[in-house]
Coordinates of all heavy atoms in Angstrom, one line a residue:
E36 N 3.0 0.0 11.7 CA 2.9 1.4 11.3 C 2.4 1.5 9.9 O 2.9 0.9 9.0 CB 4.2 2.1 11.5 CG 4.2 3.5 11.0 CD 5.5 4.2 11.0 OE1 6.5 3.6 11.4 OE2 5.6 5.4 10.7
R37 N 1.4 2.4 9.7 CA 0.9 2.7 8.3 C 1.1 4.2 8.2 O 0.9 5.0 9.1 CB -0.5 2.3 8.2 CG -0.7 0.8 8.2 CD -2.2 0.5 8.0 NE -3.0 1.3 9.0 CZ -4.1 2.0 8.7 NH1 -4.5 2.0 7.5 NH2 -4.7 2.7 9.6
R38 N 1.4 4.6 7.0 CA 1.5 6.0 6.7 C 0.8 6.3 5.3 O 0.7 5.4 4.5 CB 3.0 6.4 6.5 CG 3.8 6.3 7.8 CD 5.2 6.5 7.6 NE 5.7 5.5 6.7 CZ 7.0 5.2 6.5 NH1 7.9 5.9 6.9 NH2 7.3 4.2 5.7
F39 N 0.4 7.5 5.2 CA -0.2 8.0 4.0 C 0.8 8.9 3.4 O 1.3 9.8 4.0 CB -1.5 8.6 4.3 CG -2.3 9.0 3.1 CD1 -2.9 8.0 2.3 CD2 -2.5 10.4 2.8 CE1 -3.6 8.4 1.2 CE2 -3.2 10.7 1.7 CZ -3.7 9.7 0.9
Y40 N 1.1 8.8 2.1 CA 2.1 9.5 1.4 C 1.9 9.7 0.0 O 1.3 8.9 -0.7 CB 3.4 8.7 1.6 CG 4.7 9.4 1.2 CD1 5.2 10.5 1.8 CD2 5.4 8.9 0.1 CE1 6.3 11.1 1.4 CE2 6.6 9.5 -0.3 CZ 7.0 10.7 0.4 OH 8.2 11.2 -0.1
N41 N 2.3 10.8 -0.5 CA 2.3 11.1 -2.0 C 3.7 10.8 -2.5 O 4.6 11.6 -2.3 CB 1.9 12.5 -2.3 CG 0.6 12.7 -3.1 OD1 0.0 11.7 -3.4 ND2 0.3 13.9 -3.4
Y42 N 3.9 9.7 -3.1 CA 5.2 9.3 -3.6 C 5.3 9.5 -5.1 O 4.6 9.0 -5.9 CB 5.4 7.8 -3.3 CG 6.7 7.2 -3.8 CD1 7.9 7.5 -3.0 CD2 6.8 6.5 -4.9 CE1 9.1 7.1 -3.4 CE2 8.1 6.0 -5.3 CZ 9.2 6.3 -4.6 OH 10.4 5.9 -5.0
E43 N 6.2 10.4 -5.4 CA 6.4 10.8 -6.9 C 5.1 11.2 -7.5 O 4.7 10.7 -8.5 CB 7.1 9.7 -7.6 CG 8.5 9.5 -7.2 CD 9.2 8.4 -8.0 OE1 8.6 7.9 -9.0 OE2 10.3 8.1 -7.7
S44 N 4.3 12.0 -6.8 CA 3.0 12.5 -7.3 C 1.9 11.5 -7.3 O 0.9 11.7 -8.0 CB 3.1 13.2 -8.6 OG 4.1 14.3 -8.5
Q45 N 2.2 10.3 -6.7 CA 1.2 9.2 -6.7 C 0.8 9.0 -5.3 O 1.6 8.8 -4.4 CB 1.7 8.0 -7.3 CG 2.1 8.1 -8.7 CD 2.7 6.8 -9.3 OE1 3.3 6.0 -8.5 NE2 2.6 6.6 -10.5
P46 N -0.6 9.0 -5.0 CA -1.0 8.8 -3.6 C -0.7 7.3 -3.2 O -1.0 6.4 -4.0 CB -2.5 9.0 -3.7 CG -2.8 9.3 -5.0 CD -1.6 9.3 -5.9
C47 N -0.1 7.1 -2.1 CA 0.3 5.8 -1.6 C -0.1 5.5 -0.2 O -0.1 6.5 0.6 CB 1.8 5.6 -1.7 SG 2.6 5.7 -3.3
L48 N -0.3 4.3 0.1 CA -0.5 3.9 1.5 C 0.8 3.0 1.7 O 1.1 2.1 1.0 CB -1.7 3.0 1.6 CG -2.0 2.5 3.0 CD1 -2.2 3.6 4.0 CD2 -3.2 1.6 3.0
I49 N 1.6 3.4 2.8 CA 2.8 2.7 3.1 C 2.6 1.9 4.4 O 2.2 2.4 5.4 CB 4.0 3.7 3.2 CG1 4.1 4.5 2.0 CG2 5.2 3.0 3.6 CD1 5.0 5.7 2.1
I50 N 3.0 0.6 4.3 CA 2.8 -0.3 5.4 C 4.2 -0.8 5.8 O 4.9 -1.4 4.9 CB 1.9 -1.5 5.1 CG1 0.5 -0.9 4.7 CG2 1.8 -2.4 6.4 CD1 -0.4 -2.0 4.2
S51 N 4.6 -0.6 7.0 CA 5.9 -1.0 7.5 C 6.1 -2.5 7.4 O 5.2 -3.3 7.7 CB 6.2 -0.5 8.9 OG 7.3 -1.1 9.4
R52 N 7.3 -3.0 7.1 CA 7.6 -4.4 7.1 C 7.4 -5.0 8.5 O 7.0 -6.2 8.7 CB 9.0 -4.6 6.7 CG 9.4 -6.0 6.6 CD 10.8 -6.2 6.2 NE 11.2 -7.6 6.1 CZ 12.4 -8.1 5.8 NH1 13.3 -7.2 5.5 NH2 12.6 -9.3 5.8
S53 N 7.6 -4.2 9.6 CA 7.3 -4.7 10.9 C 5.9 -5.1 11.2 O 5.6 -5.9 12.0 CB 7.8 -3.7 12.0 OG 7.1 -2.5 11.9
C54 N 5.0 -4.4 10.4 CA 3.5 -4.8 10.6 C 3.1 -5.8 9.6 O 2.1 -6.6 9.9 CB 2.7 -3.5 10.3 SG 2.9 -2.2 11.5
L55 N 3.7 -5.9 8.5 CA 3.4 -6.9 7.4 C 4.6 -7.4 6.8 O 5.2 -6.8 5.9 CB 2.5 -6.2 6.4 CG 1.9 -7.1 5.3 CD1 0.9 -8.1 5.9 CD2 1.1 -6.3 4.3
P56 N 5.1 -8.6 7.3 CA 6.4 -9.1 6.8 C 6.3 -9.5 5.3 O 5.2 -9.7 4.8 CB 6.6 -10.4 7.6 CG 5.6 -10.3 8.8 CD 4.5 -9.4 8.4
F57 N 7.4 -9.6 4.7 CA 7.5 -9.9 3.3 C 7.4 -11.4 3.1 O 8.4 -12.2 3.2 CB 8.8 -9.4 2.6 CG 9.0 -8.0 2.7 CD1 10.3 -7.4 2.8 CD2 7.9 -7.1 2.6 CE1 10.5 -6.1 2.8 CE2 8.1 -5.7 2.6 CZ 9.4 -5.2 2.7
L58 N 6.2 -11.9 3.0 CA 5.9 -13.3 2.8 C 5.5 -13.6 1.4 O 5.1 -12.7 0.6 CB 4.8 -13.8 3.8 CG 5.1 -13.6 5.3 CD1 3.9 -13.9 6.1 CD2 6.3 -14.4 5.7
R59 N 5.5 -14.9 1.0 CA 5.3 -15.3 -0.4 C 4.0 -14.7 -1.0 O 4.1 -14.2 -2.1 CB 5.2 -16.8 -0.4 CG 5.1 -17.4 -1.8 CD 5.1 -18.9 -1.8 NE 6.3 -19.3 -1.2 CZ 6.8 -20.5 -1.3 NH1 6.1 -21.4 -2.0 NH2 7.9 -20.9 -0.8
D60 N 2.9 -14.9 -0.4 CA 1.6 -14.5 -1.1 C 1.1 -13.1 -0.8 O 0.0 -12.8 -1.2 CB 0.6 -15.6 -0.8 CG 0.9 -16.9 -1.4 OD1 1.6 -17.0 -2.5 OD2 0.6 -17.9 -0.7
V61 N 1.9 -12.4 0.0 CA 1.4 -11.1 0.5 C 1.1 -10.1 -0.7 O 0.1 -9.4 -0.7 CB 2.3 -10.5 1.5 CG1 1.9 -9.0 1.8 CG2 2.3 -11.3 2.8
L62 N 2.0 -10.1 -1.7 CA 1.8 -9.1 -2.8 C 0.5 -9.3 -3.5 O -0.3 -8.4 -3.7 CB 3.0 -9.3 -3.8 CG 3.0 -8.4 -5.0 CD1 3.2 -7.0 -4.5 CD2 4.1 -8.8 -5.9
E63 N 0.1 -10.6 -3.8 CA -1.1 -10.8 -4.5 C -2.3 -10.5 -3.6 O -3.4 -10.0 -4.0 CB -1.2 -12.3 -5.0 CG -0.5 -12.5 -6.3 CD -0.9 -11.5 -7.4 OE1 -2.2 -11.3 -7.6 OE2 -0.1 -10.9 -8.0
E64 N -2.2 -10.9 -2.3 CA -3.3 -10.6 -1.3 C -3.5 -9.1 -1.2 O -4.7 -8.6 -1.2 CB -3.0 -11.2 0.0 CG -3.0 -12.7 0.0 CD -4.4 -13.2 -0.3 OE1 -5.4 -12.6 0.2 OE2 -4.5 -14.2 -1.1
L65 N -2.5 -8.3 -1.2 CA -2.6 -6.8 -1.1 C -3.3 -6.3 -2.4 O -4.2 -5.5 -2.3 CB -1.2 -6.2 -0.9 CG -0.6 -6.3 0.4 CD1 0.8 -5.8 0.4 CD2 -1.5 -5.5 1.5
R66 N -2.9 -6.8 -3.5 CA -3.5 -6.4 -4.8 C -5.0 -6.7 -4.8 O -5.8 -5.9 -5.2 CB -2.9 -7.1 -6.0 CG -1.5 -6.5 -6.3 CD -1.0 -7.0 -7.7 NE 0.2 -6.3 -8.0 CZ 1.3 -6.9 -8.3 NH1 1.4 -8.2 -8.4 NH2 2.4 -6.2 -8.6
K67 N -5.4 -7.9 -4.4 CA -6.8 -8.3 -4.3 C -7.6 -7.4 -3.3 O -8.7 -6.9 -3.6 CB -6.9 -9.7 -3.9 CG -6.5 -10.7 -4.9 CD -6.6 -12.1 -4.4 CE -6.0 -13.2 -5.3 NZ -6.0 -14.5 -4.7
H68 N -7.0 -7.2 -2.2 CA -7.6 -6.4 -1.1 C -7.9 -5.0 -1.5 O -9.0 -4.4 -1.3 CB -6.8 -6.4 0.2 CG -7.4 -5.7 1.3 ND1 -8.5 -6.2 2.0 CD2 -7.2 -4.5 1.8 CE1 -8.9 -5.3 2.9 NE2 -8.0 -4.3 2.8
F69 N -6.9 -4.3 -2.2 CA -7.1 -2.9 -2.6 C -7.6 -2.7 -3.9 O -7.7 -1.5 -4.3 CB -5.7 -2.2 -2.4 CG -5.3 -2.1 -0.9 CD1 -4.3 -2.9 -0.4 CD2 -6.0 -1.2 -0.1 CE1 -4.0 -2.7 1.0 CE2 -5.7 -1.1 1.3 CZ -4.7 -1.9 1.8
T70 N -7.9 -3.7 -4.7 CA -8.6 -3.5 -6.0 C -9.8 -2.6 -6.0 O -10.0 -1.8 -6.8 CB -8.9 -4.8 -6.7 OG1 -7.6 -5.5 -6.9 CG2 -9.5 -4.7 -8.0
A71 N -10.6 -2.8 -5.0 CA -11.8 -2.0 -4.8 C -11.6 -0.5 -4.7 O -12.5 0.3 -4.9 CB -12.6 -2.5 -3.7
F72 N -10.4 -0.2 -4.3 CA -10.0 1.2 -4.1 C -9.1 1.8 -5.2 O -8.4 2.8 -5.0 CB -9.2 1.4 -2.8 CG -10.0 0.9 -1.6 CD1 -9.8 -0.4 -1.0 CD2 -11.0 1.7 -1.0 CE1 -10.5 -0.8 0.1 CE2 -11.8 1.3 0.0 CZ -11.5 0.0 0.6
E73 N -9.2 1.2 -6.4 CA -8.5 1.6 -7.6 C -7.0 1.6 -7.4 O -6.3 2.5 -7.7 CB -8.9 3.0 -8.0 CG -10.4 3.0 -8.4 CD -10.9 4.4 -8.9 OE1 -10.0 5.2 -9.3 OE2 -12.1 4.6 -8.8
C74 N -6.5 0.5 -6.8 CA -5.1 0.3 -6.6 C -4.4 0.1 -8.0 O -4.9 -0.7 -8.8 CB -4.8 -0.9 -5.7 SG -3.1 -1.5 -5.7
T75 N -3.3 0.9 -8.3 CA -2.7 0.8 -9.6 C -1.4 0.0 -9.5 O -0.9 -0.5 -10.5 CB -2.4 2.1 -10.2 OG1 -1.6 2.9 -9.3 CG2 -3.7 2.9 -10.4
D76 N -0.8 -0.1 -8.3 CA 0.5 -0.9 -8.2 C 0.7 -1.2 -6.7 O 0.3 -0.5 -5.8 CB 1.6 -0.1 -8.7 CG 2.9 -0.8 -8.9 OD1 2.8 -2.1 -8.9 OD2 4.0 -0.2 -9.2
V77 N 1.4 -2.3 -6.5 CA 1.9 -2.7 -5.1 C 3.3 -3.2 -5.3 O 3.6 -4.0 -6.2 CB 1.0 -3.9 -4.6 CG1 1.6 -4.3 -3.2 CG2 -0.4 -3.5 -4.4
Y78 N 4.2 -2.6 -4.5 CA 5.6 -3.0 -4.5 C 6.2 -2.8 -3.1 O 5.6 -2.3 -2.2 CB 6.3 -2.3 -5.6 CG 6.4 -0.8 -5.4 CD1 7.5 -0.2 -4.8 CD2 5.4 0.0 -5.9 CE1 7.5 1.2 -4.7 CE2 5.4 1.4 -5.8 CZ 6.5 1.9 -5.2 OH 6.6 3.3 -5.1
H79 N 7.4 -3.2 -2.9 CA 8.1 -3.0 -1.7 C 9.6 -2.7 -1.9 O 10.1 -3.0 -2.9 CB 8.0 -4.2 -0.7 CG 8.6 -5.5 -1.2 ND1 9.9 -5.7 -1.0 CD2 8.1 -6.6 -1.9 CE1 10.2 -6.9 -1.5 NE2 9.1 -7.4 -2.1
D80 N 10.2 -2.1 -0.9 CA 11.6 -2.0 -0.8 C 12.1 -2.8 0.4 O 11.3 -3.6 0.9 CB 12.1 -0.5 -0.8 CG 11.5 0.3 0.4 OD1 11.0 -0.4 1.4 OD2 11.6 1.5 0.4
T81 N 13.2 -2.5 1.0 CA 13.7 -3.3 2.1 C 13.0 -3.0 3.4 O 13.1 -3.8 4.3 CB 15.2 -3.1 2.3 OG1 15.5 -1.7 2.5 CG2 16.0 -3.6 1.1
E82 N 12.3 -1.9 3.4 CA 11.6 -1.4 4.7 C 10.1 -1.5 4.7 O 9.5 -1.7 5.7 CB 12.1 0.0 5.0 CG 13.5 0.3 5.0 CD 14.1 -0.1 6.4 OE1 13.4 0.1 7.4 OE2 15.2 -0.6 6.4
D83 N 9.5 -1.2 3.6 CA 8.1 -0.9 3.5 C 7.4 -1.5 2.3 O 8.0 -1.8 1.3 CB 7.8 0.6 3.5 CG 8.3 1.3 4.7 OD1 8.0 0.9 5.8 OD2 9.1 2.3 4.5
W84 N 6.1 -1.7 2.4 CA 5.2 -2.0 1.3 C 4.6 -0.7 0.8 O 4.3 0.2 1.6 CB 4.0 -2.8 1.7 CG 4.3 -4.3 2.0 CD1 4.6 -4.8 3.2 CD2 4.5 -5.3 1.1 NE1 4.9 -6.2 3.1 CE2 4.8 -6.5 1.7 CE3 4.3 -5.4 -0.3 CZ2 5.0 -7.7 1.1 CZ3 4.5 -6.6 -1.0 CH2 4.9 -7.7 -0.2
Y85 N 4.5 -0.5 -0.5 CA 3.9 0.7 -1.1 C 2.6 0.3 -1.9 O 2.8 -0.5 -2.8 CB 4.9 1.4 -2.0 CG 6.1 1.9 -1.3 CD1 7.1 1.1 -1.0 CD2 6.1 3.3 -0.8 CE1 8.2 1.6 -0.3 CE2 7.2 3.7 -0.2 CZ 8.3 2.9 0.1 OH 9.4 3.4 0.8
I86 N 1.5 0.8 -1.6 CA 0.3 0.5 -2.3 C -0.1 1.8 -3.0 O -0.4 2.8 -2.3 CB -0.9 0.0 -1.4 CG1 -0.5 -1.3 -0.7 CG2 -2.1 -0.3 -2.3 CD1 0.0 -1.2 0.6
V87 N -0.1 1.9 -4.3 CA -0.3 3.1 -5.1 C -1.7 3.1 -5.6 O -2.2 2.1 -6.1 CB 0.7 3.1 -6.3 CG1 0.5 4.4 -7.1 CG2 2.1 3.0 -5.8
F88 N -2.3 4.3 -5.5 CA -3.7 4.4 -5.9 C -3.9 5.5 -7.0 O -3.1 6.3 -7.3 CB -4.6 4.9 -4.7 CG -4.6 3.9 -3.6 CD1 -3.6 3.9 -2.6 CD2 -5.5 2.9 -3.6 CE1 -3.6 3.0 -1.6 CE2 -5.5 1.9 -2.6 CZ -4.6 2.0 -1.6
A89 N -5.0 5.3 -7.7 CA -5.3 6.2 -8.9 C -5.6 7.7 -8.4 O -5.3 8.6 -9.2 CB -6.5 5.7 -9.7
S90 N -6.1 7.8 -7.2 CA -6.4 9.2 -6.7 C -6.2 9.3 -5.2 O -6.2 8.3 -4.5 CB -7.9 9.6 -7.1 OG -8.7 8.8 -6.3
L91 N -6.1 10.5 -4.8 CA -5.9 10.7 -3.4 C -7.2 10.3 -2.6 O -7.1 9.8 -1.5 CB -5.6 12.2 -3.1 CG -5.3 12.7 -1.7 CD1 -4.1 11.9 -1.2 CD2 -5.0 14.2 -1.7
S92 N -8.3 10.6 -3.1 CA -9.6 10.2 -2.4 C -9.7 8.7 -2.3 O -10.1 8.2 -1.2 CB -10.8 10.7 -3.2 OG -10.9 10.2 -4.4
Q93 N -9.2 7.9 -3.3 CA -9.3 6.4 -3.1 C -8.2 6.0 -2.1 O -8.5 5.0 -1.4 CB -9.0 5.8 -4.5 CG -10.2 5.9 -5.5 CD -11.4 5.2 -5.0 OE1 -11.9 5.4 -3.8 NE2 -12.0 4.5 -5.8
A94 N -7.1 6.6 -2.1 CA -6.1 6.2 -1.1 C -6.6 6.5 0.3 O -6.4 5.7 1.3 CB -4.8 7.0 -1.3
R95 N -7.3 7.6 0.5 CA -7.9 8.0 1.8 C -9.0 6.9 2.2 O -9.0 6.5 3.4 CB -8.5 9.3 1.8 CG -7.4 10.4 1.8 CD -8.0 11.8 1.9 NE -7.0 12.8 2.0 CZ -7.0 14.0 1.5 NH1 -8.1 14.3 0.8 NH2 -6.0 14.8 1.6
K96 N -9.8 6.5 1.3 CA -10.8 5.5 1.5 C -10.2 4.2 1.9 O -10.6 3.6 2.9 CB -11.7 5.3 0.3 CG -12.6 6.4 0.0 CD -13.5 6.2 -1.2 CE -14.3 7.3 -1.6 NZ -15.0 7.2 -2.8
A97 N -9.1 3.8 1.3 CA -8.4 2.6 1.6 C -7.8 2.7 3.0 O -7.9 1.7 3.8 CB -7.3 2.3 0.6
Y98 N -7.2 3.8 3.3 CA -6.6 4.0 4.6 C -7.7 3.9 5.7 O -7.5 3.2 6.7 CB -6.0 5.4 4.7 CG -5.3 5.7 6.0 CD1 -4.0 5.2 6.2 CD2 -5.9 6.4 7.0 CE1 -3.4 5.5 7.4 CE2 -5.3 6.7 8.2 CZ -4.0 6.2 8.4 OH -3.4 6.5 9.6
T99 N -8.8 4.5 5.5 CA -9.9 4.5 6.5 C -10.5 3.1 6.6 O -10.7 2.6 7.7 CB -11.0 5.5 6.1 OG1 -10.5 6.8 6.0 CG2 -12.2 5.4 7.1
A100 N -10.6 2.4 5.5 CA -11.2 1.0 5.6 C -10.2 0.0 6.2 O -10.7 -1.0 6.8 CB -11.4 0.5 4.1
T101 N -9.0 0.3 6.2 CA -8.0 -0.7 6.8 C -7.6 -0.3 8.3 O -6.8 -1.0 8.9 CB -6.7 -0.8 6.0 OG1 -6.1 0.5 5.8 CG2 -7.0 -1.4 4.6
D102 N -8.1 0.8 8.7 CA -7.8 1.3 10.1 C -8.4 0.4 11.1 O -9.5 0.0 11.1 CB -8.2 2.7 10.2 CG -7.6 3.3 11.5 OD1 -6.6 2.8 12.0 OD2 -8.1 4.4 11.9

């Protein structure tokens, strides 16, 4: 499951852990993959990955490109 969300006024793409497990190199791979879409941060909690973008339009482009 992927969701599009504005987290604390920052546009985010959220990917469930069930779709993308927390593995060793995933963080760096996500950063590399989303750099072209002006990704500003990648982090996770116990449930999900959060990919934060500089703008809502870039987050939408990333969402569309990964669909």
Side-chain angles (χ1 to χ4, degrees):
E36 173 187 0
R37 292 177 312 129
R38 294 172 295 192
F39 185 69
Y40 186 68
N41 240 5
Y42 181 75
E43 295 182 3
S44 302
Q45 297 178 332
C47 296
L48 180 61
I49 301 172
I50 303 173
S51 171
R52 180 179 180 183
S53 64
C54 292
L55 186 62
F57 299 149
L58 300 174
R59 181 178 303 195
D60 296 325
V61 172
L62 182 65
E63 280 306 311
E64 289 300 316
L65 286 171
R66 283 189 176 131
K67 288 177 189 176
H68 181 75
F69 289 108
T70 297
F72 301 102
E73 297 179 25
C74 169
T75 60
D76 195 12
V77 177
Y78 61 95
H79 66 81
D80 61 15
T81 58
E82 303 278 326
D83 301 306
W84 287 98
Y85 296 84
I86 299 101
V87 182
F88 297 91
S90 69
L91 185 58
S92 64
Q93 289 295 49
R95 286 185 177 144
K96 288 178 185 177
Y98 182 84
T99 302
T101 57
D102 192 18

